[in-house]
Amino acid sequence: MQEVQRFNKVLKSFVLSGDIILLNLLLWVFDSLWGNHSLFEFSMPLFQNMALMTLCYLVCNIRSGVILHRPVVRPEQIMLRVARNMIPFVLMVLGLSYIFHFECVNLRQLGAFCVVLIIVIISYRLTFRAILELYRKSGKNVRKVVLVGSHENMQELYHSMTDDPTSGYRVLGYFEDSPSDRYPVNITYLGQPCEAVDYLARNAGKVDQLYCSLPSARSAEIVPVINYCENHLIRFFSVPNVRNYLKRRMHFEMLGNVPVLSIRREPLELLENRIVKRGFDIICSLLFLCTLFPIIYIIVGLAIKISSPGPVFFKQKRSGEDGREFWCYKFRSMRLNAQSDTLQATECDPRKTRIGSLIRKTNVDELPQFINVLKGDMSLVGPRPHMLKHTEEYSHLINKYMVRHFVKPGITGWAQVTGFRGETKELWQMEGRVQRDIWYIEHWTFILDLYIMYKTVYNLLHGDKEAY
């Protein structure tokens, strides 16, 4: 195991060294091509430029920037890690440049440089990963594993380790009360769990990891195995038996000294992420409400008043974060009617006014929801808020429907930009919307919010047949 760990440390250092070489080569190429018009305007020396960039790159990548050495990692994970670490890298370069007055940064050329750098680093790391997989396929840099127990989780674990020969695992065998038909016949049966310690002692230095799935009731057999592993440089892993009722990825957490498995990871549970999202909501909503909205309100308000009697705003109770009710504001697009809180709008809805059809088609009717965003009832991006009647109905019809209320509702959302906006004529349409809302909650990033906002504007400019 120590040999594998040392190899991985050398591997990570080698990858980072390659990154630094490519970074500086690219700086030299850009400096040669642009001459006096370098990334830093005026007269910043090339070597000072290289030193600044190298320092910033190492700080942003030395801890968690390299993941290609892991036993199981997908190409898109490697690409995402490179792109993610590029954000603090650029911010740090800009910050240090201005704080220490290195020189004025040429933002356009810095942007071009970063795009090229991302492409080069991703290509380099994917190539490196491919070479590493070939190396592991030949039997090198592998972790030798012993399994204890044979329930369903262990069966899946075995196949995850062995189906792909490039994963870096080699299963030496398993311990169970008797030979199990859950494992293939070619895997070695090593004996009963009580014999595990003797086996490890006889094969000292030949086992790197041990995975145990015995229930806690057999702690008398588990504890000696843990103690032996802890004292002989063998990593011990406990595999909980939850796959028989939870067929999904689990997330491990600690509450005090108690281990807890959660069924989903929500990035917006972290305070720093909530601060970023709320700060962005406040800034954008204030800017819009103090600049464009007054003009839009005058024009649209007059058109609404001329087209039909009634108020300019339509307000309706909707389901918000944690199921709390709030008043959702919209420009009124329909005549006053008794079905506004129970009947969803349709394509040829007779309740719509002449101006109402236009503002619904262009989504102008949603703009007053920036007031809800500023108040904190909504966010710019999130699951769309539904009428109370729909929340009550669909919570009984669709499994996990209420999960979408773990975050604030949004003016636009992931479901809306991926084809699930507008009227839900069939149950499967609402199911698709809920699935995408849950995906958004589990995969939230600030970049994802920006992408959804971009897609919303793009769909608006190119027309959306579901907008009515």
Side-chain angles (χ1 to χ4, degrees), residues 398-450:
I398 299 175
N399 188 32
K400 299 182 180 68
Y401 174 85
M402 294 304 292
V403 172
R404 66 194 302 277
H405 297 94
F406 282 164
V407 298
K408 289 180 182 178
I411 297 177
T412 185
W414 181 244
Q416 282 63 47
V417 300
T418 53
F420 284 84
R421 66 157 294 171
E423 185 183 6
T424 50
K425 300 176 183 178
E426 304 288 342
L427 186 63
W428 66 266
Q429 293 172 306
M430 184 60 79
E431 289 173 337
R433 182 183 292 185
V434 171
Q435 288 171 3
R436 282 155 180 78
D437 288 339
I438 294 174
W439 185 92
Y440 168 81
I441 291 171
E442 295 177 346
H443 296 84
W444 178 90
T445 64
F446 181 64
I447 300 299
L448 178 61
D449 272 4
L450 294 179

Side-chain angles (χ1 to χ4, degrees), residues 145-149 154 157-158 161 171 173-175 183 187 211:
V145 174
V146 167
L147 308 178
V148 181
M154 298 298 282
L157 181 66
Y158 170 78
M161 291 178 170
V171 178
Y174 71 97
F175 290 91
Y183 295 115
I187 179 175
Y211 291 80

Side-chain angles (χ1 to χ4, degrees), residues 12-23:
K12 290 170 67 176
S13 301
F14 195 83
V15 171
L16 278 177
S17 299
D19 288 353
I20 296 301
I21 292 171
L22 290 172
L23 169 70

Side-chain angles (χ1 to χ4, degrees), residues 191-335:
Q192 295 184 339
C194 60
E195 303 174 57
V197 172
D198 291 337
Y199 172 86
L200 295 174
R202 290 196 308 271
N203 294 273
K206 297 180 181 179
V207 179
D208 300 318
Q209 298 177 355
L210 184 144
Y211 291 80
C212 178
S213 66
L214 297 181
S216 57
R218 302 181 66 171
S219 59
E221 296 171 88
I222 300 172
V223 172
V225 176
I226 294 175
N227 291 336
Y228 184 89
C229 292
E230 291 284 278
N231 290 307
H232 293 84
L233 298 175
I234 299 172
R235 277 184 161 77
F236 178 92
F237 297 91
S238 178
V239 183
N241 186 17
V242 295
R243 293 287 289 178
N244 56 340
Y245 61 92
L246 283 173
K247 303 288 185 179
R248 57 170 297 144
R249 182 187 294 272
M250 305 291 292
H251 300 281
F252 179 83
E253 299 175 6
M254 290 293 293
L255 291 179
N257 294 321
V258 181
V260 177
L261 290 176
S262 61
I263 62 175
R264 68 175 44 83
R265 178 167 291 161
E266 300 171 45
L268 286 173
E269 283 188 316
L270 298 176
L271 178 61
E272 57 268 32
N273 288 340
R274 292 202 303 272
I275 291 173
V276 169
K277 188 172 176 66
R278 181 60 186 150
F280 187 70
D281 286 343
I282 292 173
I283 292 170
C284 289
S285 58
L286 270 176
L287 285 174
F288 177 75
L289 291 173
C290 294
T291 54
L292 298 177
F293 186 72
I295 301 171
I296 296 172
Y297 175 78
I298 293 171
I299 297 172
V300 176
L302 285 172
I304 291 172
K305 284 292 188 180
I306 293 170
S307 64
S308 68
V312 173
F313 284 152
F314 167 73
K315 68 175 186 176
Q316 183 180 66
K317 280 202 170 182
R318 300 283 179 101
S319 301
E321 185 179 17
D322 295 328
R324 290 190 294 268
E325 299 176 6
F326 71 98
W327 289 107
C328 180
Y329 299 103
K330 301 178 72 171
F331 281 126
R332 184 171 59 84
S333 60
M334 294 184 177
R335 297 175 181 86

